[in-house]
Coordinates of all heavy atoms in Angstrom, one line a residue:
F1 N 98.4 -40.3 -20.9 CA 97.1 -40.6 -20.6 C 96.9 -41.8 -19.7 O 95.9 -42.0 -19.1 CB 96.2 -40.8 -21.9 CG 96.6 -41.9 -22.8 CD1 95.9 -43.1 -22.7 CD2 97.6 -41.8 -23.7 CE1 96.3 -44.2 -23.5 CE2 97.9 -42.9 -24.5 CZ 97.3 -44.1 -24.4
Q2 N 98.0 -42.7 -19.6 CA 97.9 -43.8 -18.7 C 97.8 -43.4 -17.3 O 97.1 -44.0 -16.5 CB 99.1 -44.8 -18.9 CG 99.0 -45.7 -20.1 CD 99.3 -45.1 -21.4 OE1 99.9 -44.0 -21.4 NE2 99.0 -45.7 -22.5
W3 N 98.6 -42.4 -16.9 CA 98.5 -41.9 -15.5 C 97.1 -41.3 -15.2 O 96.6 -41.6 -14.1 CB 99.6 -40.8 -15.3 CG 100.9 -41.4 -15.1 CD1 102.0 -41.5 -16.0 CD2 101.4 -42.1 -13.9 NE1 103.0 -42.1 -15.4 CE2 102.7 -42.5 -14.2 CE3 100.8 -42.4 -12.7 CZ2 103.5 -43.2 -13.2 CZ3 101.6 -43.2 -11.8 CH2 102.9 -43.5 -12.1
A4 N 96.5 -40.6 -16.1 CA 95.2 -40.1 -15.9 C 94.2 -41.2 -15.7 O 93.3 -41.2 -14.8 CB 94.8 -39.2 -17.0
D5 N 94.3 -42.2 -16.6 CA 93.4 -43.4 -16.5 C 93.6 -44.1 -15.2 O 92.6 -44.6 -14.6 CB 93.6 -44.4 -17.7 CG 93.0 -43.8 -19.0 OD1 92.3 -42.8 -19.0 OD2 93.4 -44.4 -20.0
L6 N 94.8 -44.3 -14.7 CA 95.1 -44.9 -13.5 C 94.5 -44.2 -12.3 O 93.9 -44.8 -11.4 CB 96.6 -45.1 -13.3 CG 97.0 -45.7 -12.0 CD1 96.5 -47.1 -11.8 CD2 98.6 -45.7 -11.9
C7 N 94.6 -42.8 -12.3 CA 94.0 -42.0 -11.3 C 92.5 -42.2 -11.3 O 91.9 -42.3 -10.2 CB 94.5 -40.6 -11.4 SG 96.2 -40.3 -11.0
R8 N 91.9 -42.1 -12.4 CA 90.4 -42.2 -12.5 C 90.0 -43.6 -12.0 O 89.0 -43.7 -11.3 CB 89.9 -42.0 -13.9 CG 89.8 -40.6 -14.3 CD 89.1 -40.5 -15.7 NE 89.9 -40.9 -16.8 CZ 90.8 -40.1 -17.4 NH1 90.9 -38.8 -17.1 NH2 91.5 -40.5 -18.4
S9 N 90.7 -44.6 -12.4 CA 90.3 -46.0 -11.9 C 90.5 -46.2 -10.4 O 89.7 -46.8 -9.8 CB 91.2 -47.0 -12.7 OG 90.8 -47.0 -14.1
D10 N 91.6 -45.6 -9.9 CA 91.8 -45.7 -8.4 C 90.7 -45.0 -7.7 O 90.2 -45.4 -6.7 CB 93.2 -45.1 -8.0 CG 94.3 -46.1 -8.3 OD1 94.0 -47.3 -8.5 OD2 95.4 -45.6 -8.4
L11 N 90.3 -43.8 -8.2 CA 89.2 -43.0 -7.6 C 87.9 -43.8 -7.7 O 87.2 -43.8 -6.7 CB 89.1 -41.7 -8.3 CG 88.0 -40.7 -7.8 CD1 88.3 -40.4 -6.3 CD2 87.9 -39.5 -8.6
L12 N 87.7 -44.5 -8.8 CA 86.4 -45.3 -8.8 C 86.4 -46.4 -7.8 O 85.4 -46.6 -7.1 CB 86.3 -45.8 -10.3 CG 85.0 -46.7 -10.5 CD1 83.7 -45.9 -10.2 CD2 85.0 -47.2 -11.9
E13 N 87.5 -47.1 -7.6 CA 87.6 -48.1 -6.6 C 87.4 -47.5 -5.2 O 86.8 -48.2 -4.4 CB 88.9 -48.9 -6.7 CG 89.0 -49.8 -7.9 CD 90.2 -50.8 -7.9 OE1 91.0 -50.7 -7.0 OE2 90.3 -51.6 -8.8
A14 N 88.0 -46.4 -5.0 CA 87.8 -45.7 -3.7 C 86.3 -45.4 -3.4 O 85.8 -45.6 -2.3 CB 88.7 -44.5 -3.6
K15 N 85.7 -44.9 -4.5 CA 84.2 -44.6 -4.3 C 83.4 -45.8 -4.0 O 82.5 -45.8 -3.2 CB 83.7 -43.9 -5.6 CG 84.2 -42.5 -5.8 CD 83.6 -41.9 -7.1 CE 84.1 -40.5 -7.4 NZ 83.7 -40.0 -8.7
W16 N 83.8 -46.9 -4.7 CA 83.1 -48.2 -4.5 C 83.3 -48.6 -3.0 O 82.4 -49.0 -2.4 CB 83.6 -49.3 -5.4 CG 83.2 -49.1 -6.8 CD1 82.2 -48.4 -7.4 CD2 83.8 -49.8 -8.0 NE1 82.1 -48.5 -8.7 CE2 83.0 -49.4 -9.1 CE3 84.8 -50.7 -8.1 CZ2 83.3 -49.9 -10.4 CZ3 85.1 -51.2 -9.4 CH2 84.4 -50.8 -10.5
Y17 N 84.5 -48.5 -2.6 CA 84.8 -49.0 -1.2 C 84.1 -48.2 -0.2 O 83.5 -48.7 0.7 CB 86.4 -48.9 -1.0 CG 86.8 -49.3 0.4 CD1 86.9 -50.7 0.7 CD2 87.1 -48.3 1.3 CE1 87.2 -51.0 2.0 CE2 87.4 -48.7 2.6 CZ 87.5 -50.0 2.9 OH 87.9 -50.4 4.2
Y18 N 84.2 -46.9 -0.3 CA 83.7 -46.0 0.8 C 82.1 -45.9 0.7 O 81.5 -45.6 1.7 CB 84.3 -44.6 0.7 CG 85.7 -44.6 1.3 CD1 86.8 -44.5 0.4 CD2 85.9 -44.8 2.6 CE1 88.1 -44.6 1.0 CE2 87.2 -44.9 3.2 CZ 88.2 -44.7 2.3 OH 89.5 -44.8 2.8
S19 N 81.5 -46.2 -0.4 CA 80.1 -46.2 -0.5 C 79.5 -47.6 -0.2 O 78.3 -47.7 0.0 CB 79.6 -45.7 -1.9 OG 79.9 -46.7 -2.8
G20 N 80.4 -48.6 -0.1 CA 79.9 -49.9 0.2 C 79.3 -50.6 -1.0 O 78.7 -51.7 -0.9
Y21 N 79.6 -50.1 -2.2 CA 79.1 -50.6 -3.5 C 79.9 -51.8 -3.9 O 81.2 -51.8 -3.8 CB 79.1 -49.6 -4.6 CG 78.7 -50.1 -5.9 CD1 77.4 -50.3 -6.2 CD2 79.6 -50.3 -6.9 CE1 77.0 -50.8 -7.4 CE2 79.2 -50.7 -8.2 CZ 77.9 -50.9 -8.4 OH 77.5 -51.4 -9.6
I22 N 79.3 -52.9 -4.3 CA 80.0 -54.1 -4.7 C 79.7 -54.2 -6.2 O 78.5 -54.4 -6.7 CB 79.5 -55.4 -4.0 CG1 79.8 -55.3 -2.5 CG2 80.2 -56.6 -4.7 CD1 79.3 -56.4 -1.7
P23 N 80.7 -53.9 -7.1 CA 80.5 -53.9 -8.5 C 80.3 -55.3 -9.1 O 80.7 -56.3 -8.4 CB 81.8 -53.3 -9.1 CG 82.8 -53.7 -8.0 CD 82.1 -53.7 -6.7
S24 N 79.6 -55.4 -10.2 CA 79.5 -56.7 -10.9 C 80.9 -57.1 -11.3 O 81.8 -56.3 -11.4 CB 78.6 -56.6 -12.1 OG 79.1 -55.8 -13.1
L25 N 81.0 -58.4 -11.7 CA 82.3 -58.9 -12.2 C 82.8 -58.1 -13.4 O 83.9 -57.7 -13.5 CB 82.3 -60.4 -12.5 CG 83.5 -61.0 -13.0 CD1 84.7 -60.9 -12.0 CD2 83.3 -62.4 -13.4
E26 N 81.8 -57.8 -14.3 CA 82.1 -57.1 -15.5 C 82.6 -55.7 -15.2 O 83.6 -55.2 -15.7 CB 80.9 -57.0 -16.4 CG 81.2 -56.3 -17.7 CD 79.9 -56.3 -18.7 OE1 79.1 -57.1 -18.5 OE2 79.9 -55.5 -19.5
E27 N 81.9 -55.0 -14.3 CA 82.4 -53.6 -13.9 C 83.7 -53.7 -13.3 O 84.6 -52.8 -13.5 CB 81.4 -53.0 -12.8 CG 80.1 -52.5 -13.4 CD 79.2 -52.0 -12.2 OE1 78.9 -52.8 -11.3 OE2 78.8 -50.9 -12.3
Y28 N 83.9 -54.6 -12.4 CA 85.2 -54.8 -11.7 C 86.3 -55.0 -12.7 O 87.4 -54.3 -12.6 CB 85.1 -55.9 -10.7 CG 86.5 -56.2 -10.1 CD1 87.1 -55.3 -9.1 CD2 87.2 -57.3 -10.5 CE1 88.3 -55.6 -8.6 CE2 88.5 -57.6 -9.9 CZ 89.0 -56.7 -9.0 OH 90.3 -57.0 -8.5
L29 N 86.2 -55.9 -13.6 CA 87.3 -56.2 -14.5 C 87.5 -55.1 -15.5 O 88.7 -54.9 -15.9 CB 86.9 -57.5 -15.3 CG 87.0 -58.8 -14.5 CD1 86.6 -60.0 -15.3 CD2 88.3 -59.0 -13.8
E30 N 86.5 -54.4 -15.9 CA 86.6 -53.2 -16.8 C 87.5 -52.2 -16.1 O 88.3 -51.5 -16.8 CB 85.3 -52.6 -17.1 CG 85.3 -51.6 -18.1 CD 83.9 -51.1 -18.4 OE1 83.0 -51.9 -18.7 OE2 83.7 -49.8 -18.4
N31 N 87.5 -52.1 -14.8 CA 88.3 -51.1 -14.1 C 89.6 -51.7 -13.6 O 90.6 -51.0 -13.6 CB 87.5 -50.5 -12.9 CG 88.1 -49.4 -12.3 OD1 88.3 -48.3 -12.9 ND2 88.5 -49.5 -11.0
A32 N 89.6 -52.9 -13.2 CA 90.7 -53.5 -12.5 C 91.9 -53.7 -13.3 O 93.1 -53.7 -12.8 CB 90.3 -54.8 -11.8
W33 N 91.8 -53.9 -14.6 CA 92.9 -54.2 -15.5 C 93.8 -52.9 -15.6 O 95.0 -53.0 -15.8 CB 92.6 -54.7 -16.8 CG 92.0 -53.7 -17.8 CD1 90.7 -53.3 -17.9 CD2 92.7 -52.9 -18.8 NE1 90.5 -52.4 -18.9 CE2 91.7 -52.1 -19.4 CE3 94.0 -52.9 -19.1 CZ2 92.1 -51.3 -20.4 CZ3 94.4 -52.0 -20.2 CH2 93.4 -51.2 -20.8
I34 N 93.3 -51.8 -15.3 CA 94.1 -50.5 -15.3 C 94.7 -50.3 -13.9 O 95.9 -49.9 -13.8 CB 93.2 -49.3 -15.6 CG1 92.7 -49.5 -17.1 CG2 93.9 -48.0 -15.5 CD1 91.8 -48.4 -17.6
T35 N 94.0 -50.7 -12.8 CA 94.6 -50.4 -11.5 C 95.7 -51.3 -11.1 O 96.4 -51.1 -10.1 CB 93.4 -50.5 -10.4 OG1 92.9 -51.7 -10.4 CG2 92.4 -49.4 -10.6
I36 N 95.9 -52.4 -11.9 CA 97.1 -53.2 -11.6 C 98.4 -52.5 -12.0 O 99.5 -52.9 -11.7 CB 96.9 -54.6 -12.3 CG1 97.9 -55.7 -11.7 CG2 97.0 -54.5 -13.7 CD1 97.7 -56.1 -10.3
T37 N 98.3 -51.4 -12.7 CA 99.3 -50.5 -13.2 C 100.2 -51.1 -14.3 O 101.1 -50.4 -14.8 CB 100.3 -50.0 -12.1 OG1 101.1 -51.1 -11.6 CG2 99.5 -49.4 -10.9
T38 N 99.8 -52.2 -14.9 CA 100.6 -52.8 -16.0 C 100.6 -51.8 -17.2 O 101.7 -51.7 -17.8 CB 100.0 -54.1 -16.4 OG1 100.0 -55.0 -15.3 CG2 100.9 -54.8 -17.5
P39 N 99.5 -51.1 -17.6 CA 99.6 -50.2 -18.7 C 100.7 -49.1 -18.5 O 101.4 -48.8 -19.4 CB 98.2 -49.6 -18.9 CG 97.3 -50.7 -18.3 CD 98.1 -51.3 -17.1
V40 N 100.7 -48.6 -17.3 CA 101.7 -47.5 -17.0 C 103.1 -48.1 -17.1 O 104.0 -47.5 -17.7 CB 101.5 -46.9 -15.6 CG1 102.6 -46.0 -15.3 CG2 100.1 -46.2 -15.6
I41 N 103.3 -49.2 -16.6 CA 104.7 -49.9 -16.6 C 105.1 -50.2 -18.0 O 106.2 -49.9 -18.4 CB 104.7 -51.1 -15.7 CG1 104.5 -50.7 -14.2 CG2 106.0 -51.9 -15.9 CD1 104.2 -51.9 -13.3
L42 N 104.2 -50.8 -18.8 CA 104.6 -51.2 -20.1 C 104.8 -50.0 -21.0 O 105.7 -50.0 -21.9 CB 103.4 -52.0 -20.7 CG 103.3 -53.4 -20.2 CD1 102.1 -54.1 -20.8 CD2 104.6 -54.3 -20.4
M43 N 104.1 -48.9 -20.8 CA 104.3 -47.7 -21.6 C 105.7 -47.1 -21.3 O 106.4 -46.8 -22.2 CB 103.2 -46.6 -21.3 CG 103.3 -45.4 -22.1 SD 103.0 -45.7 -23.9 CE 101.3 -46.1 -23.8
H44 N 106.0 -47.0 -20.0 CA 107.3 -46.5 -19.6 C 108.4 -47.4 -20.2 O 109.5 -47.0 -20.7 CB 107.5 -46.4 -18.1 CG 106.8 -45.2 -17.5 ND1 105.4 -45.1 -17.4 CD2 107.3 -44.0 -17.1 CE1 105.1 -44.0 -16.9 NE2 106.2 -43.3 -16.7
A45 N 108.3 -48.7 -20.1 CA 109.2 -49.7 -20.6 C 109.4 -49.5 -22.1 O 110.6 -49.5 -22.6 CB 108.9 -51.1 -20.3
Y46 N 108.3 -49.3 -22.8 CA 108.4 -49.1 -24.3 C 109.2 -47.9 -24.6 O 110.1 -48.0 -25.5 CB 107.0 -49.0 -24.8 CG 107.0 -48.7 -26.3 CD1 107.2 -49.8 -27.2 CD2 106.8 -47.4 -26.8 CE1 107.2 -49.5 -28.6 CE2 106.9 -47.2 -28.2 CZ 107.1 -48.2 -29.1 OH 107.1 -48.0 -30.4
F47 N 109.0 -46.8 -23.9 CA 109.8 -45.6 -24.3 C 111.2 -45.7 -23.8 O 112.1 -45.0 -24.3 CB 109.1 -44.4 -23.7 CG 107.9 -44.0 -24.5 CD1 106.6 -44.1 -23.9 CD2 107.9 -43.7 -25.8 CE1 105.5 -43.8 -24.6 CE2 106.8 -43.4 -26.6 CZ 105.6 -43.4 -26.0
M48 N 111.5 -46.6 -22.8 CA 112.9 -46.7 -22.4 C 113.7 -47.5 -23.4 O 114.9 -47.3 -23.5 CB 112.9 -47.4 -21.0 CG 112.5 -46.5 -19.9 SD 112.5 -47.4 -18.3 CE 114.2 -48.0 -18.2
V49 N 113.1 -48.4 -24.1 CA 113.8 -49.3 -25.1 C 113.7 -48.8 -26.5 O 114.4 -49.4 -27.4 CB 113.4 -50.7 -24.9 CG1 113.7 -51.3 -23.6 CG2 112.0 -51.0 -25.3
T50 N 112.9 -47.9 -26.8 CA 112.6 -47.4 -28.2 C 113.4 -46.2 -28.5 O 113.3 -45.2 -27.7 CB 111.1 -47.1 -28.4 OG1 110.4 -48.3 -28.1 CG2 110.9 -46.7 -29.9
N51 N 114.3 -46.3 -29.5 CA 115.0 -45.1 -29.9 C 115.2 -45.2 -31.4 O 115.8 -46.1 -31.9 CB 116.4 -45.1 -29.2 CG 117.1 -43.8 -29.5 OD1 116.6 -42.8 -29.9 ND2 118.4 -43.9 -29.2
P52 N 114.8 -44.2 -32.2 CA 114.0 -43.1 -31.8 C 112.5 -43.4 -31.7 O 112.0 -44.4 -32.2 CB 114.2 -42.1 -32.9 CG 114.4 -43.0 -34.1 CD 115.1 -44.2 -33.6
I53 N 111.8 -42.5 -31.0 CA 110.3 -42.7 -30.9 C 109.7 -42.0 -32.1 O 109.9 -40.9 -32.4 CB 109.8 -42.0 -29.6 CG1 110.5 -42.7 -28.4 CG2 108.3 -42.0 -29.5 CD1 110.3 -41.9 -27.1
T54 N 108.9 -42.8 -32.8 CA 108.3 -42.4 -34.1 C 106.9 -41.9 -33.9 O 106.2 -42.3 -32.9 CB 108.4 -43.5 -35.1 OG1 107.5 -44.6 -34.7 CG2 109.8 -44.0 -35.4
K55 N 106.4 -41.1 -34.8 CA 105.0 -40.7 -34.8 C 104.1 -41.9 -34.9 O 103.0 -41.9 -34.2 CB 104.8 -39.7 -35.9 CG 103.3 -39.3 -36.2 CD 103.1 -37.9 -35.8 CE 101.7 -37.5 -36.2 NZ 100.6 -38.0 -35.3
E56 N 104.4 -42.9 -35.7 CA 103.6 -44.1 -35.9 C 103.4 -44.8 -34.6 O 102.4 -45.3 -34.2 CB 104.2 -45.0 -36.9 CG 104.1 -44.4 -38.3 CD 105.3 -43.5 -38.7 OE1 106.3 -43.5 -38.0 OE2 105.1 -42.6 -39.6
A57 N 104.5 -44.9 -33.8 CA 104.5 -45.6 -32.5 C 103.6 -44.8 -31.5 O 102.8 -45.4 -30.8 CB 105.9 -45.7 -31.9
L58 N 103.7 -43.5 -31.5 CA 102.8 -42.7 -30.7 C 101.4 -42.8 -31.1 O 100.5 -42.9 -30.2 CB 103.3 -41.2 -30.7 CG 104.6 -40.9 -30.1 CD1 105.0 -39.4 -30.3 CD2 104.6 -41.2 -28.6
D59 N 101.1 -42.8 -32.4 CA 99.7 -43.0 -32.8 C 99.2 -44.4 -32.4 O 98.0 -44.5 -32.0 CB 99.6 -42.9 -34.3 CG 99.9 -41.5 -34.8 OD1 99.8 -40.5 -34.0 OD2 100.2 -41.3 -36.0
C60 N 100.0 -45.4 -32.5 CA 99.6 -46.7 -32.1 C 99.2 -46.8 -30.6 O 98.3 -47.6 -30.2 CB 100.7 -47.7 -32.4 SG 100.3 -49.4 -31.9
L61 N 99.9 -46.0 -29.8 CA 99.8 -46.1 -28.3 C 98.7 -45.1 -27.8 O 98.5 -45.1 -26.6 CB 101.1 -45.8 -27.7 CG 102.2 -46.8 -27.9 CD1 103.5 -46.4 -27.3 CD2 101.8 -48.2 -27.4
E62 N 98.0 -44.4 -28.7 CA 96.9 -43.5 -28.3 C 95.8 -44.3 -27.6 O 95.2 -43.9 -26.7 CB 96.4 -42.7 -29.4 CG 97.2 -41.5 -29.7 CD 96.6 -40.5 -30.7 OE1 95.4 -40.5 -30.8 OE2 97.3 -39.8 -31.3
E63 N 95.5 -45.5 -28.1 CA 94.6 -46.4 -27.5 C 95.4 -47.6 -27.0 O 96.5 -47.9 -27.5 CB 93.5 -46.9 -28.5 CG 92.6 -45.8 -28.9 CD 91.4 -46.3 -29.7 OE1 91.1 -47.5 -29.6 OE2 90.9 -45.5 -30.5
Y64 N 94.9 -48.2 -25.9 CA 95.6 -49.3 -25.4 C 95.8 -50.5 -26.4 O 94.7 -51.0 -26.8 CB 95.0 -49.8 -24.1 CG 95.0 -48.9 -23.0 CD1 93.9 -48.1 -22.6 CD2 96.2 -48.7 -22.2 CE1 94.0 -47.3 -21.5 CE2 96.3 -47.9 -21.2 CZ 95.2 -47.1 -20.8 OH 95.3 -46.3 -19.8
P65 N 97.0 -50.9 -26.7 CA 97.1 -52.1 -27.5 C 96.6 -53.3 -26.7 O 96.6 -53.4 -25.5 CB 98.6 -52.2 -27.7 CG 99.2 -50.9 -27.4 CD 98.3 -50.3 -26.4
K66 N 96.1 -54.3 -27.5 CA 95.6 -55.5 -26.9 C 96.6 -56.2 -26.0 O 96.2 -56.8 -25.0 CB 95.1 -56.5 -27.9 CG 93.9 -56.1 -28.7 CD 92.7 -56.1 -27.8 CE 91.4 -55.7 -28.6 NZ 90.3 -55.6 -27.7
I67 N 97.9 -56.2 -26.3 CA 98.9 -56.8 -25.5 C 98.9 -56.1 -24.1 O 99.2 -56.8 -23.1 CB 100.3 -56.8 -26.1 CG1 101.3 -57.6 -25.4 CG2 100.8 -55.3 -26.2 CD1 101.2 -59.1 -25.6
F68 N 98.7 -54.8 -24.0 CA 98.6 -54.2 -22.7 C 97.4 -54.7 -21.9 O 97.5 -55.0 -20.7 CB 98.4 -52.7 -22.9 CG 99.7 -51.9 -23.2 CD1 100.8 -52.6 -23.9 CD2 99.8 -50.6 -22.9 CE1 101.9 -51.9 -24.2 CE2 101.0 -49.9 -23.2 CZ 102.0 -50.6 -23.9
Y69 N 96.2 -54.8 -22.6 CA 95.0 -55.2 -21.9 C 95.2 -56.6 -21.4 O 94.9 -56.9 -20.3 CB 93.8 -55.1 -22.9 CG 92.6 -55.7 -22.3 CD1 91.8 -55.0 -21.5 CD2 92.2 -57.0 -22.6 CE1 90.6 -55.5 -20.9 CE2 91.0 -57.6 -22.1 CZ 90.3 -56.8 -21.2 OH 89.1 -57.4 -20.7
W70 N 95.6 -57.6 -22.3 CA 95.6 -59.0 -21.8 C 96.7 -59.2 -20.8 O 96.6 -60.0 -19.9 CB 95.8 -59.9 -23.0 CG 94.5 -59.9 -23.9 CD1 94.3 -59.4 -25.1 CD2 93.2 -60.4 -23.4 NE1 93.0 -59.6 -25.5 CE2 92.3 -60.1 -24.4 CE3 92.8 -61.0 -22.2 CZ2 91.0 -60.5 -24.3 CZ3 91.4 -61.3 -22.2 CH2 90.5 -61.1 -23.2
S71 N 97.9 -58.6 -20.9 CA 98.9 -58.7 -19.9 C 98.4 -58.2 -18.6 O 98.6 -58.8 -17.5 CB 100.2 -57.9 -20.3 OG 100.7 -58.3 -21.5
S72 N 97.7 -57.1 -18.6 CA 97.1 -56.5 -17.4 C 96.1 -57.4 -16.8 O 96.0 -57.6 -15.5 CB 96.5 -55.1 -17.7 OG 97.4 -54.2 -18.1
M73 N 95.2 -58.0 -17.6 CA 94.2 -58.9 -17.1 C 94.8 -60.1 -16.5 O 94.3 -60.6 -15.4 CB 93.2 -59.3 -18.3 CG 92.0 -59.9 -17.8 SD 91.0 -58.9 -16.7 CE 90.3 -57.7 -17.8
I74 N 95.8 -60.7 -17.1 CA 96.4 -61.9 -16.5 C 97.0 -61.5 -15.1 O 96.9 -62.3 -14.1 CB 97.5 -62.4 -17.4 CG1 96.9 -63.1 -18.7 CG2 98.4 -63.4 -16.7 CD1 97.8 -63.4 -19.8
L75 N 97.7 -60.4 -15.0 CA 98.3 -60.0 -13.8 C 97.3 -59.7 -12.7 O 97.4 -60.1 -11.5 CB 99.3 -58.8 -14.0 CG 100.6 -59.2 -14.7 CD1 101.3 -57.9 -15.0 CD2 101.4 -60.1 -13.8
R76 N 96.2 -59.0 -13.1 CA 95.1 -58.7 -12.2 C 94.5 -60.0 -11.6 O 94.3 -60.1 -10.4 CB 94.1 -57.8 -12.8 CG 92.8 -57.6 -12.1 CD 93.0 -57.2 -10.6 NE 93.5 -55.9 -10.5 CZ 94.0 -55.4 -9.4 NH1 94.0 -56.1 -8.3 NH2 94.5 -54.2 -9.4
L77 N 94.1 -60.9 -12.5 CA 93.5 -62.1 -12.0 C 94.4 -63.0 -11.2 O 94.0 -63.6 -10.2 CB 92.9 -62.9 -13.2 CG 91.8 -62.2 -14.0 CD1 91.4 -63.0 -15.2 CD2 90.6 -61.9 -13.1
T78 N 95.7 -63.0 -11.5 CA 96.7 -63.7 -10.7 C 96.8 -63.1 -9.3 O 96.8 -63.8 -8.3 CB 98.0 -63.8 -11.4 OG1 97.9 -64.4 -12.7 CG2 99.0 -64.6 -10.6
D79 N 96.9 -61.8 -9.3 CA 96.9 -61.1 -8.0 C 95.7 -61.3 -7.2 O 95.8 -61.6 -6.0 CB 97.1 -59.6 -8.3 CG 97.3 -58.8 -7.0 OD1 98.3 -59.0 -6.3 OD2 96.4 -58.0 -6.7
D80 N 94.5 -61.3 -7.8 CA 93.3 -61.5 -7.1 C 93.2 -62.9 -6.5 O 92.6 -63.1 -5.5 CB 92.1 -61.2 -8.0 CG 91.9 -59.7 -8.2 OD1 92.6 -58.9 -7.6 OD2 91.1 -59.3 -9.0
L81 N 93.7 -63.9 -7.3 CA 93.7 -65.3 -6.8 C 94.5 -65.4 -5.5 O 94.2 -66.2 -4.6 CB 94.3 -66.2 -7.8 CG 93.3 -66.7 -8.9 CD1 94.1 -67.5 -9.9 CD2 92.2 -67.5 -8.3
G82 N 95.6 -64.6 -5.4 CA 96.4 -64.7 -4.2 C 95.8 -64.1 -2.9 O 96.2 -64.4 -1.8
T83 N 94.8 -63.3 -3.1 CA 94.1 -62.6 -2.0 C 92.7 -63.1 -1.8 O 92.0 -62.6 -0.9 CB 94.1 -61.1 -2.1 OG1 93.5 -60.7 -3.3 CG2 95.6 -60.6 -2.1
S84 N 92.2 -64.0 -2.6 CA 90.8 -64.4 -2.5 C 90.6 -65.4 -1.4 O 91.6 -66.1 -1.0 CB 90.3 -65.1 -3.8 OG 91.0 -66.3 -4.1
A85 N 89.4 -65.5 -0.9 CA 89.1 -66.5 0.2 C 89.0 -67.8 -0.4 O 88.3 -68.0 -1.5 CB 87.9 -66.0 0.9
V86 N 89.5 -68.8 0.2 CA 89.4 -70.2 -0.3 C 88.1 -70.8 0.3 O 87.9 -70.7 1.5 CB 90.6 -71.1 0.1 CG1 90.5 -72.5 -0.3 CG2 91.9 -70.5 -0.4
C87 N 87.3 -71.4 -0.5 CA 86.0 -71.9 -0.1 C 86.1 -73.4 0.2 O 86.8 -74.1 -0.3 CB 84.9 -71.7 -1.1 SG 84.6 -70.0 -1.5

């Protein structure tokens, strides 16, 4: 489901860009933490190091754990600081 969410989020950013829409900060952050791709990377990393994969682990990962969200948000904001205009 992370790949599907990533595709939906990228599509939303493309729609914003091509329509000239400027999202509010809340809208942007709600979408941007997924487009930094951290949830996809963390999910793949989790399955690479977990042996065996249990049903409980899969159930836990059906929704994004908070560690995925906050790691993604830190990386997104750090990345945005690198490309922001200095006033």
